[in-house]
Amino acid sequence: MRIPPGRAGRYWLRERLAVAERGAALLDRKLVALDEAAARLTALCDEARHEWESAHREAVRRHTRAVLLGGRGSLELAAAPPARVEVSTTVLAGARYPDRVDCLLPQDFRDTITGSAALVAARTAHCEALAAGVRYAAAAAAVRAIDREVLATRIRVRGLRYRRIPALRTAEAELEFALEEQERADRVRLGRVLEGNRATR
């Protein structure tokens, strides 16, 4: 640190120390908000994972039944066009994460379901599994984004609390000691000058 000399350095250090302490307090509040969001998003992610696993199992079951009843060739009738995924994001305490996701299949695909009942059920189950998988992926991405921000914030807080603030306090104490020594030396010099002036009268 390049500290200005003399009393200006005292004010400079006190100002930097106040800023660092306010910054640490703000980061502590940010951590509380992020921890709450992480707990909420982790619960949502777990729920989305369970939904996806359940939908996946159902899709596999329906798929197997459709193949057994109609053969593998019948699956070509149920082939889906590419889906479109729309993701909207939000920002919390500096962390951007997906907060809403939609998996969109063309409307005509949903309206033109042909084939056996088993094939229709398999196609519907796969659509539901796809939507559940997209929701789970978005929820997992949200948890990762918040976890990254929590980690980065904890590193910043530790840097302030265990490095910057102690360094500023040490520098302030050293400067205070140096200023006191200088004032003591100035008083001694002033006393000698005054004694010398009295002696010459």
Side-chain angles (χ1 to χ4, degrees):
M1 285 183 288
R2 293 185 179 176
I3 303 167
R7 289 181 177 82
R10 175 190 288 159
Y11 295 117
W12 187 89
L13 280 168
R14 286 179 181 169
E15 184 179 308
R16 297 298 182 284
L17 188 56
V19 167
E21 286 172 343
R22 278 196 308 272
L26 282 172
L27 287 174
D28 283 337
R29 287 202 294 273
K30 177 180 177 178
L31 267 178
V32 168
L34 286 171
D35 284 339
E36 288 173 0
R40 179 178 53 82
L41 290 172
T42 299
L44 290 173
C45 184
D46 289 342
E47 183 181 321
R49 181 174 53 81
H50 291 306
E51 287 175 6
W52 175 75
E53 288 171 349
S54 174
H56 176 261
R57 281 191 302 272
E58 180 65 11
V60 168
R61 190 175 73 75
R62 295 285 185 174
H63 174 87
T64 304
R65 182 182 171 114
V67 168
L68 289 174
L69 293 176
R72 288 203 175 273
S74 67
L75 293 178
E76 291 178 14
L77 296 172
R84 193 174 83 243
V85 176
E86 292 181 356
V87 180
S88 63
T89 60
T90 190
V91 177
L92 172 71
R96 180 177 294 279
Y97 63 92
D99 95 347
R100 187 166 175 269
V101 65
D102 292 312
C103 181
L104 306 169
L105 288 165
Q107 188 60 41
D108 60 346
F109 170 72
R110 291 185 182 277
D111 294 341
T112 57
I113 296 178
T114 58
S116 68
L119 192 60
V120 170
R123 186 159 75 169
T124 302
H126 277 83
C127 289
E128 289 170 2
L130 175 63
V134 166
R135 286 192 300 272
Y136 172 47
V143 168
R144 285 192 303 273
I146 293 293
D147 285 347
R148 278 193 304 272
E149 192 64 27
V150 165
L151 179 62
T153 304
R154 285 205 169 113
I155 289 170
R156 287 186 205 112
V157 168
R158 278 197 300 268
L160 283 172
R161 294 233 182 266
Y162 299 113
R163 293 184 63 116
R164 180 73 175 163
I165 291 172
L168 287 168
R169 285 191 177 137
T170 300
E172 184 184 28
E174 289 171 356
L175 182 64
E176 287 293 338
F177 180 76
L179 288 174
E180 285 174 13
E181 287 296 312
Q182 185 180 354
E183 287 172 4
R184 219 175 278 123
D186 287 347
R187 281 195 301 270
V188 169
R189 273 195 301 276
L190 182 61
R192 287 183 184 155
V193 168
L194 289 176
E195 283 178 20
N197 285 346
R198 280 191 218 121
T200 55
R201 282 184 193 165

